[in-house]
Amino acid sequence: MRYLKNNMRKYITFTLVLLVIAACKTKKTVAEQIVSEQAVTKNKAKEIIQKHYENLLSFETASIRSSADYEDKKQSISINADIRIKKDEIIWINLKFFGIPMAKAFITPTRVSYYEKANNTYFDGNYSILTKMLGTDLDFQKVQNLLLGRPIDNLTKEEFIAEIADNLFQLKSKNKTDIEKSFSFETANYLLKKQFINQTSKNRNVLVNYPSFTNQDNMFLPTGVSILANQQDQVKINVEYKKITFNEPLSYPYSIPDGYSQIKID
């Protein structure tokens, strides 16, 4: 009987040891799996960013003929827009209503200027007016990126978490800050479909959508851009690109007419 009890104790002890070891191994395996998934997520975010930027935009000038719809709480208008870009230097916009020039804009890395004929007014200053209109801090590169279907921000300078949402690759800001960002990409060519920037402290955000892309001269360009901006008031802008040409000689005529009143931004 004593022999049986001793063997039973040994058996129970041995079984408990095995269970403890198995439990430790299970915990380790789960931990290793979590680390592995985190590594895959981090690497996937880097891969998405790298693949997106492999879609190069190599041109000196671009001319975009488009139609645009604009809406805020005071007005809703449809207009034609000629957009000319001298890459990294000039964005020139000429707005026409039934072929009649109504407004012009001239944007450089250091200056934002525009005038409109309806009220004989003009603005000539920094990016504060575009920031106020579109609900996020802007500079020349960000505006150019927005028009060309690129992320507003340089994604290589931040850390993101990758996931799949609505059959798109989605990057979300990894670090919790006042500004939340998300960027959604096609899974085939890693083209940008949507970008959202939200700044809680200033109660402002901007959502940019690209309905589709076209491959022209071995470059992927959006067929248009849709912007929904919220900052005190809501602004909706939908632009449809009708024709895009590259590397043609372009002029950028611009001068503010005499007698126009200057707009001041608070």
Side-chain angles (χ1 to χ4, degrees), residues 2 53 59 73 76 81-82 85 96 120 125 147 159 165 211 226 234 249 254:
R2 183 179 298 175
Y53 284 125
F59 66 88
K73 70 176 183 178
S76 177
D82 290 334
I85 300 174
K96 298 179 181 179
N120 290 352
L147 292 172
E159 287 192 82
S226 174
Q234 186 177 86
Y254 183 84

Side-chain angles (χ1 to χ4, degrees), residues 219-235:
M219 292 182 283
F220 285 104
L221 271 296
T223 58
V225 55
S226 174
I227 302 169
L228 179 62
N230 292 286
Q231 183 173 232
Q232 296 178 341
D233 301 322
Q234 186 177 86
V235 172

Side-chain angles (χ1 to χ4, degrees), residues 3 21 40 105 121 141 246:
Y3 174 78
I21 292 173
V40 168
T121 57
Q141 197 64 46
F246 294 106

Side-chain angles (χ1 to χ4, degrees), residues 33-247:
Q33 183 179 353
I34 292 172
V35 171
S36 177
E37 288 175 353
Q38 289 174 343
V40 168
T41 301
K42 183 177 181 180
N43 290 336
K44 190 61 180 178
K46 290 182 177 180
E47 178 188 332
I48 293 168
I49 293 170
Q50 178 183 339
K51 291 289 187 181
H52 170 72
Y53 284 125
E54 286 177 2
N55 295 309
L56 300 177
L57 292 178
S58 301
F59 66 88
E60 293 182 5
T61 66
S63 176
I64 304 172
R65 293 183 181 179
S66 64
S67 61
D69 297 319
Y70 174 92
E71 181 183 344
D72 60 26
K73 70 176 183 178
K74 296 180 180 178
Q75 60 182 333
S76 177
I77 58 173
S78 296
I79 203 162
N80 291 322
D82 290 334
I83 304 170
R84 300 177 184 176
I85 300 174
K86 185 176 184 181
K87 193 176 181 185
D88 301 328
E89 294 183 36
I90 298 171
I91 297 173
W92 178 93
I93 302 173
N94 186 22
L95 302 180
K96 298 179 181 179
F97 187 70
F98 288 109
I100 301 173
M102 297 299 295
K104 276 188 179 180
F106 189 81
I107 303 170
T108 70
T110 59
R111 176 190 182 197
V112 174
S113 183
Y114 82 90
Y115 66 85
E116 53 91 13
K117 293 186 175 182
N119 297 306
N120 290 352
T121 57
Y122 75 93
F123 175 84
D124 193 62
N126 57 29
Y127 280 80
S128 60
I129 192 164
L130 292 181
T131 294
K132 184 174 182 179
M133 178 186 294
L134 296 184
T136 189
D137 292 325
L138 294 171
D139 57 27
F140 182 89
Q141 197 64 46
K142 291 181 179 182
V143 174
Q144 182 175 260
N145 287 345
L146 189 151
L147 292 172
L148 297 176
R150 313 292 273 191
I152 292 176
D153 295 307
N154 185 343
L155 302 186
T156 63
K157 295 184 177 181
E158 300 181 48
E159 287 192 82
F160 294 93
I161 297 171
E163 60 184 30
I164 298 288
D166 298 325
N167 296 319
L168 298 172
F169 288 132
Q170 187 176 86
L171 300 181
K172 289 186 176 181
S173 303
K174 181 178 180 181
N175 300 319
K176 297 295 182 181
T177 64
D178 179 47
I179 301 177
E180 300 174 2
K181 303 177 184 179
S182 68
F183 303 88
S184 299
F185 301 84
E186 290 181 353
T187 56
N189 296 307
Y190 297 88
L191 301 174
L192 183 65
K193 292 292 291 180
K194 180 169 58 178
Q195 50 185 326
F196 178 71
I197 299 176
N198 180 47
Q199 188 169 11
T200 306
S201 64
K202 294 188 177 181
N203 194 28
R204 65 182 189 178
N205 60 69
V206 59
L207 173 65
V208 183
N209 284 287
Y210 300 97
S212 60
F213 284 78
T214 181
N215 189 338
Q216 184 172 326
D217 297 341
N218 295 317
M219 292 182 283
F220 285 104
L221 271 296
T223 58
V225 55
S226 174
I227 302 169
L228 179 62
N230 292 286
Q231 183 173 232
Q232 296 178 341
D233 301 322
Q234 186 177 86
V235 172
K236 296 179 182 179
I237 303 172
N238 290 301
V239 184
E240 181 182 354
Y241 295 169
K242 303 289 189 179
K243 183 180 180 181
I244 303 173
T245 56
F246 294 106
N247 299 323

